[in-house]
Amino acid sequence: MTDRGPRADVCVIGAGPAGALVAHRAAKAGYSVVVLDAGPRFDFEGRSEREERAIRPGSSKPPWNMGEEGGHGKRDAYTSSGPKEYPLNTARVKGVGGSTLHWQGMVMRLHERDFRLHSETGMGVDWPLSYADLRPYYARAERAFGVAGASDNPFAPPRTTPFPLPAFPPSHSDAMFAEACESLEITTHSVPNARNSESYRGRSECLGYGTCKPVCPSGAKYDATATIDGAEKAGAVVIDRAPVQHLEHDDAGDRVVAAVYATPDGKTHRQEASEFVLAAGGVEIPRLLLLSKSPQYPDGLANSSGLVGRYFTDHFFAGVGGVVDERTRQHHVGFNTTESHQFYDQPADGSRTAIKLEFWNYAGPTPADIALSGSSLGDDLLDNIREEYGNHLAVGALVEQVPQYENRVTLDDSKTDDHGNPVPEIVWSLDDRTRRTIERANRIQHRIMDELDANVRWVIGPEKTGPAFHHMGTTRMGTDPKSSVVGPDMRTHDLDNLTVAGSSVFPTTGAMNPTLTIAALSLSAADELLDRLA
């Protein structure tokens, strides 16, 4: 084992949005920063090829090289052993940029009530932070991402700053939904998006490829490589293909002294630093802490509470889709431009959780999907495409799950990765309260589709539901070291110089896409870290 380079002021583990923002902030402040990421760099010039791979019918190679078919099966191996199957590799990326390389790009602030959920509904716990504490960091995160939005959401929390970019206009199908929702007294509004409605900070405006998830070829959709580029220009050193194997702490067990990581040549290296930041996501962060057990921490590093890996939480999905007797221009826009938060705030009796309705611009098959779905050719194929393309609609929803102690990320000692380490094991389940919320979401969705005289083709309800792939809660934040892993400054209770940046610190989840809150918390954590370094 060797020391790869000089001791750094800050070592960041993970080059997704959380790690990128912390690294950029620290490097701009003049501190030496080393970023370690388990995956490779992906050349920007290769995105068109990845887009083609993603949309090519019958393609079996994932565009961002995750899992067995991407040639990294052992590296990305995991176990799902809970009551609800969890397909982990479906929506994560190991590499510089992280999962923002293929995310949808919707960025909402949590509601004020989300921060005091227990006080107001009796469910879950309260956050040790308030919305007011995070509001300035939300604004900074929106500027960092280049968020396009409008102040037309009557249910949104209060703002003191405008969005950096104007909102995207409503789509053709949005107008259809708006008319139906107005008849049902359901309020609709625009969606804040981390994609450029006009050019921003050297990045192109949206060119309408419609393949936002999983590949944006133009770079109009924000991904963390833009922030990593800024960090490197400010002096940060980024080392890719450097999976951290474990963390070492000092004799007293008070401070982390080094991150031990592997390189493709088969060697291991130690990176020493004054401050360490874990920013590798809600699955790999608890896994690394559990892999870093020692005599002082026999149950895993920073785990005196026994809660590392506990309360693994995701948003469940609910949806209804079908066809109507008019053109909807499906797939004309590759992301959501209209939503409704009308059903978001939870009832005070705690009987069910929050719902965020999404009106899709990309429901139904593409012409290529239709062409490959049957044996018709020539004029018959054209007739089939005319019949099946351009008349689909769908209403989706994210549903809040109250964190459950038994849902967790742990280690599967019977299965190892490409370095011989136990793989993550995920235990996930659907509780009765969340089941009732999914059923409620379906009822609302059916009302909207009925108002549109739609022929319903599919329903995703409690029996078919799956995750939104928002990994939250596995190193929860709180003020009591016995019931949380990190404090309000995102620093672990057990080690003075170990910060966790990301959604794993969420005590509860709301029903909003988490990335803007991840960014706001990461910027707040970076300020706390810089105060300690000063």
Side-chain angles (χ1 to χ4, degrees), residues 55-294:
I55 64 177
R56 182 186 298 130
S59 174
S60 61
K61 188 176 181 182
W64 301 105
N65 299 356
M66 283 297 298
E68 290 286 348
E69 294 175 340
H72 297 290
K74 200 165 178 63
R75 183 197 74 174
D76 304 330
Y78 68 95
T79 299
S80 176
S81 62
K84 196 77 179 170
E85 176 68 22
Y86 199 90
L88 179 62
N89 284 339
T90 301
R92 64 171 179 163
V93 175
K94 287 184 179 178
V96 176
S99 293
T100 54
L101 292 169
H102 75 164
W103 67 323
Q104 187 64 277
M106 294 181 288
V107 281
M108 306 86 180
R109 302 181 180 194
L110 287 174
H111 284 204
E112 290 177 285
R113 179 181 277 191
D114 288 323
F115 294 91
R116 50 178 191 267
L117 183 65
H118 182 75
S119 295
E120 297 215 5
T121 70
M123 294 187 289
V125 296
D126 290 345
W127 288 48
L129 299 171
S130 68
Y131 171 75
D133 293 327
L134 273 193
R135 183 161 59 182
Y137 293 103
Y138 271 131
R140 284 172 54 183
E142 288 167 346
R143 291 194 296 272
F145 286 176
V147 175
S151 297
D152 64 340
N153 180 354
F155 311 105
R159 304 177 58 89
T160 56
T161 56
F163 287 98
L165 297 172
F168 286 87
S171 69
H172 179 76
S173 58
D174 284 343
M176 299 169 65
F177 278 122
E179 184 176 354
C181 287
E182 184 176 5
S183 298
L184 296 171
E185 298 184 339
I186 296 174
T187 300
T188 61
H189 46 80
S190 64
V191 181
N193 273 282
R195 51 177 51 80
N196 296 343
S197 54
E198 54 191 41
S199 60
Y200 185 75
R201 294 187 177 180
R203 289 165 35 227
S204 164
E205 67 179 343
C206 177
L207 299 180
Y209 284 97
T211 60
C212 315
K213 187 176 181 179
V215 182
C216 172
S218 69
K221 182 184 69 175
Y222 171 85
D223 66 71
T225 62
T227 306
I228 285 291
D229 288 346
E232 289 184 298
K233 289 176 182 176
V237 174
V238 178
I239 304 174
D240 67 326
R241 297 180 298 165
V244 176
Q245 307 298 291
H246 64 271
L247 302 173
E248 296 179 352
H249 59 72
D250 60 12
D251 292 339
D254 295 332
R255 297 178 65 83
V256 175
V257 295
V260 176
Y261 65 96
T263 47
D265 59 8
K267 297 180 180 178
T268 56
H269 308 267
R270 294 175 76 257
Q271 178 61 57
E272 297 184 352
S274 298
E275 293 280 344
F276 290 82
V277 180
L278 301 184
V283 172
E284 293 297 335
I285 288 173
R287 181 191 180 212
L288 178 57
L289 292 173
L290 294 173
L291 288 173
S292 301
K293 65 182 180 180
S294 68

